[in-house]
Amino acid sequence: MVKYYKLNVGALADELYRPEVPVQKWLASCESTNGERFPPNSLNQVDPISWDVQLERLVGIALYMMGNVLPFLILPLACFFTFVPRSRFPILLVVAYVVVLALLEFLVFRPWFLKKYNQSQHLAKGDVNMDMKTNQYAFTERNITKYLSMRFVWPKSMHYPTMIDTPLIFCIVPHGVAPFGITAYPLWSKLFNSRLCRWVAAPIVLKIPLVGGLLRKIGYVPAKSKNILETLTKKEQNVGIILDGIAGMFHQSRNEERAYLKKRKGIVKIALRAGAPIVPVYGFGHTSLYTVIVDPFGVLEKLSNMFEASLTPFFGRFGWFLGPPRRIPVTVCFGDPIMCPKIDDPTQDQIDEYHGKMLAAYQKLFDTHKEAYGWKDKTLKFV
């Protein structure tokens, strides 16, 4: 009897990675195991990729990272440029760097990949929900799945069509610098059921010029209880949440994985009110993609949590400051869904009960797949 399934998302044929392709063709590309887990080191392989995909992601991710940071730096940079003459040259270098990245991405790589993947030059227009699903197939996100050799692993209890009758709450950890495992957006909207998956983001992120607009086009909603509950109950759509949030950036260790989940009870209350299953998800590899510089006084962590945005320096591939991540495989593993009864006004005891079930599910999920990812000796700690 099959217990787990695996789909190599990055290696999926390009002609299959399209909105009109039925999920059954994706499932036909799956591997499975009858054992308690996949074999050791079978989920941490780096697949070869073409030169154009690699170059586009080096440029595109660096541009995206700068796009997230610059809005918070415009005012201080303007002040330095005006009142500190010596700062003008390095500031101009930063501006030139961003301009070069933007020209390469939009004038070179964008037309190249739109033609290669046979995609439209414009974001879809028409039915809102169908448009969002179509927009989730953007070439930039497709290239991330290849760059990071992305794989999805799930148990029989999640295998299609067992979850087609209910909206799901996907709760993924850890955040790391950037939770790239979520960027295979079409899979969250098709692999388990046909409901659009609406990821949540801090309201301030959705207000960032260009970046915020693009996120809304693929379905993002503000990370507020009202918006999440409405998505689950009125729109009957899936919801995706990076459960540890920005705090997950500051809890990294070489010897253990740390998940900032002890205080994350709000999503449990929402799940109980909606009667929606919580699906625990672990992004193996997220914490290895970048090196984060953490100040000993915790000032950057407090500021980042205050603004709900990353305000800490980090280095990626080639030691690139605010650049692309290292080419480390990301394996997104799903646990058994936690079935939550519908309770209009759950008590604290009920919330605590299901929060405990959620933590236990994450522990089981991590312990089941860590050896297959090459982390036999790593442990998971809840903070």
Side-chain angles (χ1 to χ4, degrees), residues 249-288:
M249 286 184 60
F250 300 91
H251 295 277
Q252 299 187 18
S253 169
R254 291 184 178 181
N255 301 319
E256 65 180 7
E257 290 281 285
R258 298 173 182 172
Y260 191 83
L261 294 178
K262 285 188 175 181
K263 297 181 180 179
R264 296 299 197 239
K265 297 185 179 183
I267 190 60
V268 177
K269 182 176 182 179
I270 291 173
L272 290 170
R273 291 183 64 190
I278 295 174
V279 182
V281 188
Y282 204 91
F284 286 87
H286 275 179
T287 56
S288 303

Short mmCIF file of all heavy atoms in Angstrom, two decimals, residues 249-288:
data_model
loop_
_atom_site.label_atom_id
_atom_site.label_comp_id
_atom_site.label_asym_id
_atom_site.label_seq_id
_atom_site.Cartn_x
_atom_site.Cartn_y
_atom_site.Cartn_z
N MET A 249 13.04 34.16 10.49
CA MET A 249 14.35 34.52 9.95
C MET A 249 15.42 34.48 11.03
O MET A 249 16.59 34.23 10.76
CB MET A 249 14.33 35.93 9.36
CG MET A 249 13.62 36.05 8.04
SD MET A 249 13.79 37.74 7.39
CE MET A 249 15.57 37.87 7.24
N PHE A 250 15.01 34.74 12.25
CA PHE A 250 15.98 34.96 13.33
C PHE A 250 16.15 33.74 14.23
O PHE A 250 16.75 33.83 15.29
CB PHE A 250 15.53 36.16 14.17
CG PHE A 250 15.43 37.43 13.36
CD1 PHE A 250 14.25 37.80 12.74
CD2 PHE A 250 16.54 38.25 13.21
CE1 PHE A 250 14.16 38.96 11.99
CE2 PHE A 250 16.47 39.41 12.47
CZ PHE A 250 15.28 39.77 11.85
N HIS A 251 15.62 32.62 13.80
CA HIS A 251 15.75 31.40 14.61
C HIS A 251 16.37 30.30 13.75
O HIS A 251 15.72 29.32 13.39
CB HIS A 251 14.38 30.96 15.14
CG HIS A 251 13.78 31.94 16.11
ND1 HIS A 251 14.12 31.97 17.44
CD2 HIS A 251 12.89 32.94 15.93
CE1 HIS A 251 13.45 32.94 18.05
NE2 HIS A 251 12.70 33.54 17.15
N GLN A 252 17.64 30.50 13.38
CA GLN A 252 18.34 29.54 12.55
C GLN A 252 19.55 28.97 13.29
O GLN A 252 20.18 29.66 14.08
CB GLN A 252 18.80 30.20 11.24
CG GLN A 252 17.64 30.74 10.40
CD GLN A 252 18.09 31.23 9.04
OE1 GLN A 252 19.17 30.87 8.57
NE2 GLN A 252 17.28 32.04 8.40
N SER A 253 19.85 27.72 13.02
CA SER A 253 20.96 27.06 13.66
C SER A 253 21.46 25.93 12.76
O SER A 253 20.68 25.32 12.02
CB SER A 253 20.53 26.48 15.02
OG SER A 253 21.53 25.62 15.53
N ARG A 254 22.76 25.67 12.80
CA ARG A 254 23.32 24.58 11.99
C ARG A 254 22.95 23.20 12.52
O ARG A 254 22.83 22.25 11.76
CB ARG A 254 24.84 24.71 11.94
CG ARG A 254 25.33 25.92 11.14
CD ARG A 254 26.86 25.91 11.06
NE ARG A 254 27.35 27.03 10.27
CZ ARG A 254 28.63 27.25 10.02
NH1 ARG A 254 29.55 26.41 10.51
NH2 ARG A 254 29.01 28.29 9.29
N ASN A 255 22.76 23.11 13.82
CA ASN A 255 22.55 21.80 14.44
C ASN A 255 21.08 21.44 14.62
O ASN A 255 20.76 20.26 14.82
CB ASN A 255 23.24 21.76 15.80
CG ASN A 255 24.74 22.00 15.69
OD1 ASN A 255 25.39 21.49 14.78
ND2 ASN A 255 25.29 22.78 16.62
N GLU A 256 20.21 22.42 14.58
CA GLU A 256 18.80 22.13 14.75
C GLU A 256 17.96 23.11 13.96
O GLU A 256 18.39 24.23 13.66
CB GLU A 256 18.42 22.20 16.24
CG GLU A 256 18.55 23.58 16.86
CD GLU A 256 18.17 23.60 18.33
OE1 GLU A 256 17.93 22.54 18.90
OE2 GLU A 256 18.11 24.71 18.91
N GLU A 257 16.78 22.68 13.60
CA GLU A 257 15.80 23.55 12.96
C GLU A 257 14.90 24.11 14.05
O GLU A 257 14.51 23.38 14.97
CB GLU A 257 14.98 22.76 11.95
CG GLU A 257 15.74 22.33 10.72
CD GLU A 257 15.91 23.45 9.72
OE1 GLU A 257 14.94 23.79 9.02
OE2 GLU A 257 17.04 24.00 9.63
N ARG A 258 14.59 25.38 13.95
CA ARG A 258 13.75 26.01 14.96
C ARG A 258 12.50 26.59 14.30
O ARG A 258 12.59 27.30 13.31
CB ARG A 258 14.53 27.12 15.67
CG ARG A 258 15.75 26.60 16.42
CD ARG A 258 16.58 27.73 16.97
NE ARG A 258 17.78 27.22 17.65
CZ ARG A 258 18.76 27.99 18.10
NH1 ARG A 258 18.70 29.31 17.96
NH2 ARG A 258 19.81 27.45 18.69
N ALA A 259 11.37 26.23 14.85
CA ALA A 259 10.10 26.69 14.32
C ALA A 259 9.40 27.57 15.36
O ALA A 259 9.10 27.12 16.47
CB ALA A 259 9.21 25.51 13.95
N TYR A 260 9.16 28.83 15.00
CA TYR A 260 8.54 29.78 15.91
C TYR A 260 7.03 29.55 15.90
O TYR A 260 6.27 30.24 15.21
CB TYR A 260 8.89 31.20 15.46
CG TYR A 260 8.52 32.28 16.46
CD1 TYR A 260 9.35 32.58 17.52
CD2 TYR A 260 7.33 33.00 16.32
CE1 TYR A 260 9.01 33.57 18.43
CE2 TYR A 260 6.98 33.99 17.22
CZ TYR A 260 7.83 34.27 18.27
OH TYR A 260 7.48 35.25 19.17
N LEU A 261 6.58 28.57 16.68
CA LEU A 261 5.18 28.14 16.61
C LEU A 261 4.45 28.12 17.95
O LEU A 261 3.23 27.97 17.97
CB LEU A 261 5.10 26.74 16.00
CG LEU A 261 5.51 26.60 14.53
CD1 LEU A 261 5.43 25.15 14.10
CD2 LEU A 261 4.65 27.47 13.64
N LYS A 262 5.17 28.24 19.04
CA LYS A 262 4.51 28.10 20.35
C LYS A 262 3.41 29.14 20.57
O LYS A 262 2.43 28.87 21.28
CB LYS A 262 5.56 28.19 21.47
CG LYS A 262 6.41 26.94 21.62
CD LYS A 262 7.28 27.02 22.86
CE LYS A 262 8.04 25.72 23.11
NZ LYS A 262 8.88 25.79 24.32
N LYS A 263 3.57 30.31 19.98
CA LYS A 263 2.58 31.37 20.17
C LYS A 263 1.61 31.50 18.99
O LYS A 263 0.76 32.37 19.00
CB LYS A 263 3.29 32.71 20.40
CG LYS A 263 4.15 32.74 21.65
CD LYS A 263 4.81 34.10 21.81
CE LYS A 263 5.67 34.15 23.08
NZ LYS A 263 6.34 35.47 23.24
N ARG A 264 1.76 30.63 18.02
CA ARG A 264 0.93 30.74 16.80
C ARG A 264 -0.39 29.99 16.99
O ARG A 264 -0.61 28.92 16.45
CB ARG A 264 1.70 30.20 15.60
CG ARG A 264 2.96 30.99 15.23
CD ARG A 264 2.59 32.42 14.89
NE ARG A 264 3.65 33.09 14.16
CZ ARG A 264 4.27 34.20 14.55
NH1 ARG A 264 3.91 34.77 15.70
NH2 ARG A 264 5.20 34.77 13.82
N LYS A 265 -1.27 30.58 17.77
CA LYS A 265 -2.57 29.96 18.05
C LYS A 265 -3.72 30.62 17.30
O LYS A 265 -4.81 30.06 17.23
CB LYS A 265 -2.85 29.98 19.56
CG LYS A 265 -1.84 29.16 20.37
CD LYS A 265 -2.21 29.11 21.84
CE LYS A 265 -1.19 28.27 22.63
NZ LYS A 265 -1.57 28.14 24.05
N GLY A 266 -3.45 31.79 16.74
CA GLY A 266 -4.51 32.50 16.02
C GLY A 266 -5.04 31.71 14.84
O GLY A 266 -6.26 31.69 14.59
N ILE A 267 -4.15 31.04 14.12
CA ILE A 267 -4.60 30.29 12.95
C ILE A 267 -5.44 29.09 13.37
O ILE A 267 -6.35 28.67 12.63
CB ILE A 267 -3.38 29.82 12.11
CG1 ILE A 267 -3.85 29.27 10.78
CG2 ILE A 267 -2.54 28.79 12.86
CD1 ILE A 267 -4.62 30.24 9.92
N VAL A 268 -5.20 28.55 14.55
CA VAL A 268 -6.01 27.44 15.05
C VAL A 268 -7.44 27.92 15.32
O VAL A 268 -8.41 27.23 14.97
CB VAL A 268 -5.39 26.84 16.33
CG1 VAL A 268 -6.28 25.73 16.87
CG2 VAL A 268 -3.98 26.32 16.04
N LYS A 269 -7.56 29.09 15.90
CA LYS A 269 -8.90 29.65 16.15
C LYS A 269 -9.64 29.87 14.84
O LYS A 269 -10.84 29.57 14.72
CB LYS A 269 -8.77 30.96 16.92
CG LYS A 269 -10.11 31.59 17.27
CD LYS A 269 -9.93 32.85 18.11
CE LYS A 269 -11.28 33.44 18.50
NZ LYS A 269 -11.12 34.67 19.33
N ILE A 270 -8.94 30.38 13.83
CA ILE A 270 -9.56 30.60 12.52
C ILE A 270 -10.00 29.28 11.91
O ILE A 270 -11.11 29.16 11.37
CB ILE A 270 -8.57 31.32 11.58
CG1 ILE A 270 -8.33 32.76 12.06
CG2 ILE A 270 -9.08 31.32 10.15
CD1 ILE A 270 -7.25 33.49 11.30
N ALA A 271 -9.14 28.25 12.01
CA ALA A 271 -9.47 26.94 11.45
C ALA A 271 -10.71 26.35 12.11
O ALA A 271 -11.58 25.76 11.44
CB ALA A 271 -8.29 25.99 11.61
N LEU A 272 -10.83 26.50 13.42
CA LEU A 272 -11.99 25.99 14.14
C LEU A 272 -13.26 26.76 13.77
O LEU A 272 -14.33 26.16 13.60
CB LEU A 272 -11.75 26.06 15.65
CG LEU A 272 -10.70 25.08 16.20
CD1 LEU A 272 -10.37 25.41 17.65
CD2 LEU A 272 -11.18 23.64 16.07
N ARG A 273 -13.15 28.05 13.63
CA ARG A 273 -14.32 28.85 13.25
C ARG A 273 -14.78 28.51 11.83
O ARG A 273 -15.98 28.54 11.54
CB ARG A 273 -14.01 30.34 13.35
CG ARG A 273 -13.81 30.82 14.78
CD ARG A 273 -13.58 32.33 14.80
NE ARG A 273 -14.76 33.05 14.32
CZ ARG A 273 -14.77 34.35 14.04
NH1 ARG A 273 -13.65 35.08 14.20
NH2 ARG A 273 -15.86 34.93 13.61
N ALA A 274 -13.82 28.19 10.94
CA ALA A 274 -14.15 27.86 9.56
C ALA A 274 -14.45 26.38 9.36
O ALA A 274 -15.04 26.00 8.34
CB ALA A 274 -13.01 28.29 8.64
N GLY A 275 -14.02 25.55 10.32
CA GLY A 275 -14.15 24.11 10.15
C GLY A 275 -13.27 23.60 9.02
O GLY A 275 -13.65 22.66 8.30
N ALA A 276 -12.11 24.21 8.85
CA ALA A 276 -11.21 23.87 7.74
C ALA A 276 -10.00 23.10 8.26
O ALA A 276 -9.47 23.40 9.33
CB ALA A 276 -10.75 25.14 7.03
N PRO A 277 -9.53 22.10 7.51
CA PRO A 277 -8.34 21.34 7.94
C PRO A 277 -7.07 22.19 7.90
O PRO A 277 -6.88 23.00 6.99
CB PRO A 277 -8.26 20.20 6.90
CG PRO A 277 -9.61 20.16 6.25
CD PRO A 277 -10.13 21.55 6.29
N ILE A 278 -6.22 21.99 8.90
CA ILE A 278 -4.89 22.59 8.90
C ILE A 278 -3.92 21.56 8.32
O ILE A 278 -3.87 20.43 8.80
CB ILE A 278 -4.44 22.97 10.32
CG1 ILE A 278 -5.34 24.06 10.91
CG2 ILE A 278 -2.98 23.43 10.34
CD1 ILE A 278 -5.04 24.37 12.36
N VAL A 279 -3.19 21.96 7.30
CA VAL A 279 -2.21 21.05 6.69
C VAL A 279 -0.81 21.53 7.07
O VAL A 279 -0.36 22.57 6.60
CB VAL A 279 -2.34 21.02 5.15
CG1 VAL A 279 -1.33 20.02 4.56
CG2 VAL A 279 -3.76 20.66 4.74
N PRO A 280 -0.11 20.81 7.95
CA PRO A 280 1.25 21.19 8.32
C PRO A 280 2.20 20.94 7.15
O PRO A 280 2.14 19.89 6.50
CB PRO A 280 1.57 20.29 9.51
CG PRO A 280 0.71 19.09 9.30
CD PRO A 280 -0.55 19.56 8.63
N VAL A 281 3.05 21.92 6.87
CA VAL A 281 3.98 21.82 5.73
C VAL A 281 5.36 22.25 6.21
O VAL A 281 5.49 23.27 6.89
CB VAL A 281 3.53 22.70 4.55
CG1 VAL A 281 4.40 22.43 3.32
CG2 VAL A 281 2.06 22.51 4.23
N TYR A 282 6.38 21.48 5.83
CA TYR A 282 7.75 21.85 6.19
C TYR A 282 8.59 22.05 4.93
O TYR A 282 8.61 21.18 4.06
CB TYR A 282 8.41 20.79 7.08
CG TYR A 282 9.52 21.38 7.91
CD1 TYR A 282 9.26 21.89 9.18
CD2 TYR A 282 10.82 21.50 7.41
CE1 TYR A 282 10.27 22.49 9.93
CE2 TYR A 282 11.82 22.09 8.15
CZ TYR A 282 11.54 22.58 9.40
OH TYR A 282 12.53 23.19 10.15
N GLY A 283 9.27 23.20 4.86
CA GLY A 283 10.12 23.52 3.73
C GLY A 283 11.57 23.15 4.03
O GLY A 283 12.34 23.98 4.52
N PHE A 284 11.94 21.91 3.75
CA PHE A 284 13.31 21.48 3.98
C PHE A 284 14.24 22.24 3.03
O PHE A 284 14.02 22.26 1.82
CB PHE A 284 13.45 19.97 3.75
CG PHE A 284 12.86 19.13 4.84
CD1 PHE A 284 11.53 18.76 4.82
CD2 PHE A 284 13.66 18.69 5.89
CE1 PHE A 284 10.98 17.98 5.83
CE2 PHE A 284 13.13 17.91 6.91
CZ PHE A 284 11.79 17.55 6.88
N GLY A 285 15.26 22.87 3.61
CA GLY A 285 16.21 23.63 2.82
C GLY A 285 16.04 25.13 2.96
O GLY A 285 16.97 25.89 2.64
N HIS A 286 14.90 25.60 3.44
CA HIS A 286 14.66 27.04 3.55
C HIS A 286 15.74 27.75 4.37
O HIS A 286 16.15 28.86 4.02
CB HIS A 286 13.29 27.30 4.20
CG HIS A 286 12.17 27.27 3.23
ND1 HIS A 286 10.85 27.47 3.60
CD2 HIS A 286 12.14 27.07 1.89
CE1 HIS A 286 10.07 27.39 2.53
NE2 HIS A 286 10.83 27.14 1.48
N THR A 287 16.17 27.14 5.45
CA THR A 287 17.12 27.83 6.34
C THR A 287 18.56 27.73 5.85
O THR A 287 19.45 28.33 6.47
CB THR A 287 17.05 27.23 7.76
OG1 THR A 287 17.28 25.81 7.69
CG2 THR A 287 15.68 27.50 8.37
N SER A 288 18.80 27.02 4.76
CA SER A 288 20.17 26.86 4.25
C SER A 288 20.45 27.74 3.04
O SER A 288 21.58 27.78 2.56
CB SER A 288 20.40 25.39 3.86
OG SER A 288 20.18 24.52 4.94
#
